[in-house]
Amino acid sequence: RDQIQTAGSSTVLPYATIVAEAFGENFKFPTPVVESGGSGAGRKKLCEGVGENTIDIANSSSRITQADIDTCKSNGVNEIMEVRFGYDGIVFASEIKGPEFAFTPADIYGALASNVAKDGKIVPNTAKTWKDVKAGFPTQNILMFIPGTKHGTREVFDTKVIEAGCKASGAYDLFKAASKGADDKAKEKDAVSACNDLRKDGASVEIDGDYTETLARIAANKDGIGVFGLSFYQNNTDKLRVATVNGITPSVETVAKGEYPVSRPLYFYVKKAHIGVVPGLQEYIDFFVSDDIAGPNGPLAQYGLVPDPELAKTQEMVKNDVAMGPLK
Amino acid sequence: MSIGILTLIVIALAAGGFLLGRQIAVGKVAGDIRKLHSLPGYYGQTVFLFTAVPALLLMLGWLLVQPLLIHERVGAMIAPEDIASGSSASLVMSDVRRIADGLALIEAQGAAIPADAGTVREALGRVGVALGTDVKPSVYAAAKAYGAMSATGGKAMSVAVLVLALAGFGFAIARIRPAFRARNVSETFVRALLIGASSVAILTTLGIVLSLVFETVHFFKVYPFADFFFSLTWNPKFGGGSDLGIWPLIWGTLYISLIALLVAVPVGIFSAIYLAEYASKKVRAVVKPLLEVLAGIPTIVYGLFALITVGPALRDWFAQPLGLGSSSSSVMTAGVVMGIMLIPFVSSLSDDIVNAVPQSLRDGSYGIGATQSETIRQVILPAALPGIVGAVLLAASRAIGETMIVVMGAGAAAKMSLNPFDAMTTVTVKIVSQLTGDTEFNSPETLVAFALGLTLFVFTLGLNILALFIVRKYREQYE
Amino acid sequence: MNDMRLMERVVDDTRIKISAKDVQVWYGDSHAIKDVNIDILDKTVTAFIGPSGCGKSTFLRTLNRMNDTIPICRVEGEILLDGENIYDRKVDPVQLRARVGMVFQKPNPFPKSIYDNVAYGPRIHGLTRNKAELDEVVESALKKAALWKEVKDRLTAPGTGLSGGQQQRLCIARAVATSPEVLLMDEPCSALDPIATAQVEELIDELRENFSVVIVTHSMQQAARVSQKTAFFHMGNLVEYGDTTQIFTKPSDPRTESYITGRIG
Amino acid sequence: MNDMRLMERVVDDTRIKISAKDVQVWYGDSHAIKDVNIDILDKTVTAFIGPSGCGKSTFLRTLNRMNDTIPICRVEGEILLDGENIYDRKVDPVQLRARVGMVFQKPNPFPKSIYDNVAYGPRIHGLTRNKAELDEVVESALKKAALWKEVKDRLTAPGTGLSGGQQQRLCIARAVATSPEVLLMDEPCSALDPIATAQVEELIDELRENFSVVIVTHSMQQAARVSQKTAFFHMGNLVEYGDTTQIFTKPSDPRTESYITGRIG
Amino acid sequence: MTAEATNIPAPKRRSLYQLDARTRRRNASETRFRAYGVAAIAFGMIALAVLLWSILGQGLSAFTQTRIAMDVTLDAAVLDKSGKRDPVELAKATTLAYGKILDQALVKQATDKGLMPEGLSAKDAAGILSKEAPAQLRRMVLDNPALIGTTVQIEALANGRIDGLLKGRVTMESAKLDSNVSPAQLVLAQNLKDAGLLAKSFNFDFITAPDASEVRPEAAGLGVAILGSLYMMMIVLVLALPIGVAASIYLEEFAAKNWFTDLIEVNIANLAAVPSIVYGILGLAVFINFAGMPQSSPLVGGLVLTLMTLPTIIIATRASLKAVPPSIKDAALGIGASKTQTVFHHVLPLAMPGIMTGTIIGMAHALGETAPLLLIGMVAFVRDYPAAPPEGFLDPAAALPVQVYNFTRRADPAFLERASGAIIVLLVFLALMNVAAILLRRKFERRW
Ligand SMILES: Nc1ncnc2c1ncn2[C@@H]1O[C@H](COP(=O)(O)OP(=O)(O)OP(=O)(O)O)[C@@H](O)[C@H]1O
Ligand SMILES: Nc1ncnc2c1ncn2[C@@H]1O[C@H](COP(=O)(O)OP(=O)(O)OP(=O)(O)O)[C@@H](O)[C@H]1O
Ligand SMILES: [Mg+2]
Ligand SMILES: [Mg+2]
């Protein structure tokens, strides 16, 4: 095998292809093959073992878990390099001709949760239009396209929007109080689980496909509000109207500064045993995290990647091939 | 000698053997082939088979075994300390292989083989073989040994294969006698081939079951069996604590497939009947392949069609006026669109079957004053029933296995409802999405895909057995 | 045994049932029937005889437009049934065939039960009002075709599982069950044993009381036994047509004579 | 015309060609042939007669193992061809059928050209050395089957486009072309006109000089004309077997007599 | 012939010209039945027309592409600092350097000809060029180092948004909202177009070029995918058709009919119902992990698709083998043809139309399937062409449906047109594949 093989997250895929293409163009090595298929599948392939018919790099939109590291170990993949190369912002956007929205997590929680807090009590959610959720919102039917449970984005959505909104609206405390859990931990767990219980009456629609599907659904349903990646939105600003969260308009800058709340890190994991064996692997990862590529003015940022403020540290780490330690 | 050329030589030899065998057979009876047990061609065939088959089998076996042997011997040459920590012997071996191939390339270009390990990387780089790191001396030595052994092995293989081919050739030629039952020999061989082909289906099944069963067992270790089979909710969550009951998915699968078949079967059968019985030859020659295009359009196109056109239309024209909800993705959308895709499965196959019903049956019916449609309904369709059922089963199978149309047409939410305008989803969709998602691999959320696959396999097996019984009951043989 | 049922023939000068005028049939370019003029009488059995391939079946098929099913077959001329041209555009071949039934040369039972085979015609033509009547029709048709005894215990068995002769009788029963006005039979007895043949011949004789029967046969004896009129075909031409006794005793055309005495074929 | 070729019969006491011993045939549960014992002689024409459905075709098919193709059919007993049991496991039915040819009750030409229909047997058995020889074989087979004149100009036309009788003669030609040692014919003349029948009968007579011929027929006259031996079947039993003249003149079994005189069926 | 018999009144004569009520009813039902047939076909045809119309409407534009004609001076000082024209040294000049040269050339040309709209910065003006253009120029120079120092005339690819302007996808209004293009850039493009320097031309690269990344929709092509699909279909055809037909012949004609063959029959029907992704799981386990075949290779893809197609071919073939009348088999057996000869000489030719249909449908399925390829690494971004077969069977490749799938998932709307274009190519591919089968089918089709 002459070319580098990578697999994994479809969120990372566009960045990885941009890098692979530039790498193939400017180096004497063949263009790496970039597979998609999900972070989980990518990490599974990475952990299948070392050798020519296993991949070299797994792209991931979420951090590797201890279980995956254990699987890797049991298959002889002992050393993995963890490279965080930037952040992905997650935005809410609706049809361009529709009204503007300025959300807080509590608004979205109030619209989508099965049970909401009202006057200090937990009541079933009956809101039909956004106006029912909060005065000042338009009388537009609530219809939100949220990522399906297969997507890593869903996890971010759940924790940073729904749970945050749950806490902000006071529902979390009510849930916790109502929980029959034995200790505080169990109660918290119950409360989180209750927060994450979303309506099943069609107000929230899970999307197992990609952002293009969400976009098409919004085109078919003008009332719909979708969850998108920042880069996807940036390529479709003429079709989508983005909503602010906590008053902040999402952009590469606001996410990088930490003002916009909904974002997540993006990673790739390198099988260290393959460095020095698969031609060009070292060059590729160096190239990936170089300032020319992943820096604030590089093509990735142009495309919508939020650059990692600690990129220099990462570059250093990649250069020295430092394998990751135990998970913190 | 490259494998391609060796194969060609063996086949050429076998082809020559065919001609020679035939010649000899004819010669033995002085051209009077009536005295031969079998047709001369069969004598040729036996020579062909005896020459080609054992030799090619040997080659195949050799190619599988030789690398293992060389691997073992060369592997011993690499000192354990040369294997970097975290790396493995197999990775070093792949480097050895790459270097050996590069050296062969250098040799082929007439350049000098680098003398010591230090310059190897550069030299190989010049012929376009990239290496990850500099080469250690022991690795270089191993690579050279590897090259030498492969070369010898290759030569030995060529010789062995050719000798075997010639031996088979000679043996078969020597066996040619007028009384030699050449036809039976070659037919036995053909039959063995046919059996071999049928066993592919069995092996595939075995492979599928085996590749699903381990992970399924794994799944049931982390997720309770009863919850999977008896829970009525499907609600996977990222961080664990998911409900993974299969029933909503099974229900969605059945519902969507049923609607798809309700569209595809009548349309398909009526199309088939029209094409086979009414349409002129010209119309048929045009329409049939056109309908088959429907089966060739990628399902993503249907998916988009469902999402953008059919879904909103059904919502605006049916669901909302009827008060059945306002979801644009629905079982109905996916079913109708999938039905369109399945039309050719029913129509083309049924058309062939209907066309094969003997004319005399039609004559018999017309002769006592039946109209064409009566003839079709009461004589031709019953006669063609087993074939048509086969076509319908095939369509049903595709409906069960379809992903893209369901995702875009019916959505991804698992639900058990009778309302055809509700969004639902199928087992297959969930297999795909759980398998390609971002969830951790060893979590029940991902492993459930295997359990779903296996359950679906058993479930459809049951449906097929049922179908077989029904067909058996109504089968009617003509002539 | 040939003449065991020889009897006096009275050819009543009945009405003309079918009248063919200048009929020509082509299969593609080959001219299979040339200029045939014939008047087939009501309540009469007419036999078509002639060497194999002379066009008997072809002409028979034109009489109820069964040739419509052969794409390359083309018919010219007029065929009048009760004075009405059956090739007229207004004529519905289905209605025609209900009145002019047909039994084919090769037995072709449907892949259905014996009962359903026979009940098929009455059902589609709506000849019976209820199951009991249908049962009766089926039974009487099977009896007429001399098959009842053999199959009465297995009416639900498939018709295709019968022996060759049984199949042929089943087809006869099927045709008779619709009670057509004219029954065309293409060698109905060729697969039958003498007993069954005698029964079918009896049936033909019976049918003649109400209907017109046209029968193609290779057996001169059979023609002599059952028919009142005989037509002799040769190479697509109707050579001679007349009373059976006359044709068999003093044929006017030399070709007829040589055929009957076994010299041309 | 019945007796136009009646001639003296000399039944030479020739070798036994096929010998059936205690043959039983079942279709599923129904016992179609019961305990048949018969010796069929070489260079002899044997006729099987009997009412429709009595098992003639069934028994005929057991003689060259054509019943192997009917899954529910089961045979017991021994059938010896030249002393060798054809149901032995060592016997290749293909080779057997090349030696024991068969013409079926319903004509079944291949959907190929007339020429290819006839040439098929010689081709697969390698009976000819070259095209010219093959042409010759085809021509002579078609001539023997009395079809040559009618089809010599359209040898490349499909065999399925022929008339019923022509199809049947084509099937005879196809069987004759492989020159089998025994020829089994299931009602070969049922679709034929008298001339063609006479020609086929002549052919049968000719074949007898070298081969053994078994013929199923419903025509007593034909049996009398062509056969030297006759076997009478009734409800699956071989009731009587003997010289044709004896069977037709002084049958020893009452059932034979009643059949011949037309009383049972 | 008794006296009463003759007295039975003749049945009432009906005129043939007048239809009786029942016949009229039956004819009406006949007409209805026929109408259902016509309606069914019309339904299928309309669905096909709508689908094809939308595919063609969206995809045909992928076959043209906007290019900008310009003169570029290849500055030796920038591109070859060593001045020795040494390929290794030359390769050190990256696309960034070439990009700068191109940008300057474009701005210079626009300014010289007075086409620069006011208020458009040089950087933004250069933004109308594709990011692929520098790569193309670099390739051109590396292939022919003699060009360095000269001025060459090239047709550089324009950016996807500019391409969209010419194809009607992008308008001034949309550009106002679009963060990737500004109205001023569109004005520049319009000016260049009016000056005859910017035009649409046939996009041969769409068929031959490899895929491109998200930021270069204008450069994305199907070359690798077409090769990959071609290789896989070769494997599928060579394996699935013979194995499928052979298996059907065995099961239908040779195997004894007992519970075991029933089991196999049910099993094959069931294999057809196995979701295609499960075949991917199988392929991953057997061909890649067990047999050690390479990831992403057409060989593994072809094998997986073969297994997936087999049941379809077997079911169709068996159905048509069953439909061959037994009398034909009897005829052949009766003159001493062996079972094998009977099957191959008579039964198979008669079953051919059905076999062809099964093959067409099975291959169409295999050609359009993505899901099983997901797990064996073929749903991937591959830019290097696979080698010629047989070695190429082991090189990584994509496939046409994969390309469609990938294109539809990308953010830039320009990829939507490319996805439909890829579908058109796929359908043409399918049509070419089927022509032979359809002709064969027509040749073998006959009634008996
Ligand atoms: N479907 C057909 N296509 C072409 N030619 C045909 C067709 N059917 C019959 N023929 C030809 O038309 C002529 C007359 O055939 P027809 O079937 O009428 O003969 P026939 O008198 O019934 O003979 P037989 O007694 O053998 O049944 C023959 O030469 C025959 O080959
Ligand atoms: N394939 C079959 N399956 C079941 N029963 C059969 C089958 N073929 C024949 N039979 C039965 O076996 C018996 C003998 O049939 P066979 O065909 O041998 O009669 P036959 O003497 O040839 O009659 P015919 O003169 O009418 O052709 C009949 O009762 C028939 O119904
Ligand atoms: Mg005829
Ligand atoms: Mg019989």
Side-chain angles (χ1 to χ4, degrees), chain A residues 1 37-40 43-44 50 52 61 65 67-68 71 149-152 155 208 216-217 220-221 273-274 276-277 279, chain B residues 86 88 90-91 94 97-98 130 132-133 236 238 307 312 315 328-329 407-408 412 415 430 433 436-442:
Chain A
R1 174 153 73 84
S39 306
R43 293 196 304 253
K44 157 135 202 281
V50 288
E52 276 209 299
S61 59
T65 58
D68 283 336
T71 317
T149 44
K150 64 171 273 199
H151 288 292
E155 195 183 12
D208 262 4
R217 286 199 186 269
N221 268 305
H274 283 195
V277 178
Chain B
S88 73
S90 82
L91 278 174
S94 71
R97 253 196 320 265
R98 194 175 294 122
T133 49
F238 228 88
L307 179 61
R315 176 195 59 198
S328 71
S329 16
V407 168
M408 297 200 164
K415 206 186 224 177
K430 286 301 165 193
S433 66
T436 59
D438 295 332
T439 41
E440 181 187 320
F441 187 76
N442 277 329

Side-chain angles (χ1 to χ4, degrees), chain A residues 215-232:
Chain A
L215 183 66
R217 286 199 186 269
I218 287 180
N221 268 305
K222 307 282 182 209
D223 285 349
I225 296 174
V227 175
F228 295 96
L230 178 61
S231 59
F232 189 91

Side-chain angles (χ1 to χ4, degrees), chain E residues 65-66 128 158-175 178 181-194 198 200 414 417:
Chain E
Q65 198 62 46
T66 308
I128 69 168
N159 180 308
R161 296 286 148 106
I162 303 304
D163 185 45
L165 174 71
L166 268 71
K167 290 173 182 169
R169 194 170 60 229
V170 174
T171 60
M172 284 296 169
E173 283 73 55
S174 78
D178 198 329
V181 70
S182 68
Q185 284 176 319
L186 295 190
V187 173
L188 171 62
Q190 194 63 47
N191 292 347
L192 285 170
K193 185 178 171 219
D194 295 341
L198 179 146
K200 266 194 316 188
E417 144 200 300

Side-chain angles (χ1 to χ4, degrees), chain B residues 91-169:
Chain B
L91 278 174
V92 178
M93 274 314 292
S94 71
D95 235 15
V96 167
R97 253 196 320 265
R98 194 175 294 122
I99 297 169
D101 290 348
L103 291 180
L105 204 64
I106 294 182
E107 213 167 16
Q109 291 182 355
I113 303 256
D116 69 289
T119 56
V120 173
R121 190 175 183 193
E122 197 199 328
L124 289 183
R126 253 177 278 140
V127 292
V129 176
L131 291 181
T133 49
D134 286 331
V135 179
K136 296 197 183 81
S138 76
V139 171
Y140 187 46
K144 282 207 251 180
Y146 184 92
M149 275 190 229
S150 322
T152 341
K155 276 193 202 109
M157 179 184 76
S158 303
V159 172
V161 165
L162 288 181
V163 165
L164 188 61
L166 284 172
F169 185 91

